[in-house]
Each structure stands twice: as structure tokens, then as C-alpha cells.
Amino acid sequence: GGTGKALRVFSKAAHGGGLLGYWNIRSEDGKVEDEVTISDVLQVVAKDSTPSSEVALFSQKSKEIRIVNAAAAGGSLTPKLPVELGAFEFDLVTVAPILSIAGVKVALLGLIDKYNTLAGLTSSGRAADGALEVDVKSTGELALWLGEYKEGSPPRVTVDGEEVKATAERCRIGSLLTVPLEVGGKPEGSFAVRIAL
């Protein structure tokens, strides 16, 4: 019982960023009251591994997003990203490098309906003519953080050359863009996604 810290597990992604896992393994009615720290973030990204040293954090449990400078010296995030877990609960936090494409800050958060969101990506994304292009090897809900929120006008998104409807939600900072990736008539779930910024 009682209240304590979470069990932490870290996993680096093949194309940059990674996953922070927080588990409540306390007995019976034990609770976790904890927070994501800079040292947690540095377990999966080096201080100088991203072009701007900035990364986006996405909590799968709370759906909150925080932008962090990985080169920051302090141990706490401002504002904090709390980890509050009931008995046997867990939270997974995606850590994604922030890119600048066509003057817009972008973080590729991966397939947010999967446990390991970044594992479905076959690349870290590339800039091409004012757009972000990424190859995804699985179906699911692809998510990106955009540094700007354009009310009522999400970016144009194509999947395998065909336009699809994306949804943009306002965040504390910027917006969360989600793109549904469905197999349809394809035998395998492999997608070429292009987001025009």
C-alpha cells in the first residue's frame, strides 16, 4: 500500500527519440505520485541529438504534451508532467525530436494507439518541398505535434498519394494532428504519408 515512485523503464527508438514507461507495482491499493524528469528524457535522447535540442513528450494516459529542451540543466520539467497511477496502472510517454519544416516546428509522435508509438515508423521523417514525409509500417492512428494551431485548417495530408482527412486538436502549446492509417484494399499495412505544412 501507500504512495511512492513509479518503476521506470526506458527504450530508445531506432530513428531518434524513445519511450519512457512508468509502472505502479506497489501492492494492493498502493498509488504512484511521480513526475517525468529531464534525467528520464536523457535516458532516450542525448542533449545534442536533435537539431534544436527540443523534444516533445506525449503521455498516452493523460494525452498531455510538453515541449522540453533536452539540453536544460534542471531536473524538473516546467510545467511538470505528472505521473499519477492507481493500483497496477501504467503510463507510456513518447519522446520525439522536434524538427523545423517550412518554418513550423513538428514532432512525429508515431502511432499513438500502440504501446510503443515510434516502433511503427521506418524513418524519423524527412523534409521535402515544405512537407514532412514519413514511412509507416503498420495501421493505426499516426500523430504529430505541430508548433502552430491553425483553427479549422489542418494541413493537407496524403497517404500513398491519396488525400485523407486529418484531425487537429488544440494543445496547451500548438496542436495534435492525427491521421488514420487503414489497410483498405492493401494486403500489408505499409504507408507513405505526406503532410504539407
Side-chain angles (χ1 to χ4, degrees):
T3 301
K5 300 285 186 186
L7 169 69
R8 289 164 153 74
V9 178
F10 309 108
S11 174
K12 290 184 180 182
H15 306 289
L19 190 67
L20 309 175
Y22 300 91
W23 273 264
N24 178 359
I25 58 169
R26 303 180 68 75
S27 64
E28 298 171 15
D29 61 349
K31 295 180 181 167
V32 163
E33 291 181 6
D34 208 339
E35 66 183 81
V36 178
T37 66
I38 292 290
S39 64
D40 294 347
V41 172
L42 294 177
Q43 295 294 321
V44 296
V45 295
K47 288 185 179 187
D48 57 358
S49 66
T50 67
S52 67
S53 295
E54 286 185 310
V55 294
L57 306 181
F58 174 75
S59 164
Q60 289 187 27
K61 187 170 188 284
S62 69
K63 306 297 185 218
E64 290 190 56
I65 294 177
R66 296 287 188 279
I67 306 307
V68 176
N69 182 339
S76 293
L77 305 181
T78 306
K80 291 182 179 185
L81 182 54
V83 176
E84 296 176 358
L85 305 171
F88 305 109
E89 288 184 334
F90 66 93
D91 191 9
L92 300 171
V93 177
T94 301
V95 179
I98 293 179
L99 311 169
S100 181
I101 298 175
V104 177
K105 288 184 175 184
V106 180
L108 191 54
L109 301 173
L111 297 170
I112 61 170
D113 58 334
K114 310 287 189 231
Y115 285 121
N116 192 348
T117 61
L118 298 174
L121 306 178
T122 59
S123 70
S124 59
R126 59 198 165 281
D129 300 322
L132 173 66
E133 294 180 346
V134 63
D135 297 318
V136 183
K137 63 182 175 184
S138 179
T139 59
E141 188 175 15
L142 179 66
L144 296 91
W145 172 81
L146 302 175
E148 298 178 355
Y149 179 77
K150 297 178 181 171
E151 189 81 44
S153 62
R156 182 175 180 266
V157 178
T158 59
V159 176
D160 296 331
E162 296 194 22
E163 193 161 344
V164 297
K165 183 172 174 27
T167 306
E169 281 181 52
R170 183 181 301 276
C171 300
R172 182 185 299 234
I173 300 170
S175 62
L176 180 68
L177 182 75
T178 55
V179 180
L181 299 178
E182 300 168 353
V183 174
K186 296 174 73 170
E188 298 293 326
S190 178
F191 305 91
V193 181
R194 180 179 170 87
I195 299 102
L197 301 168

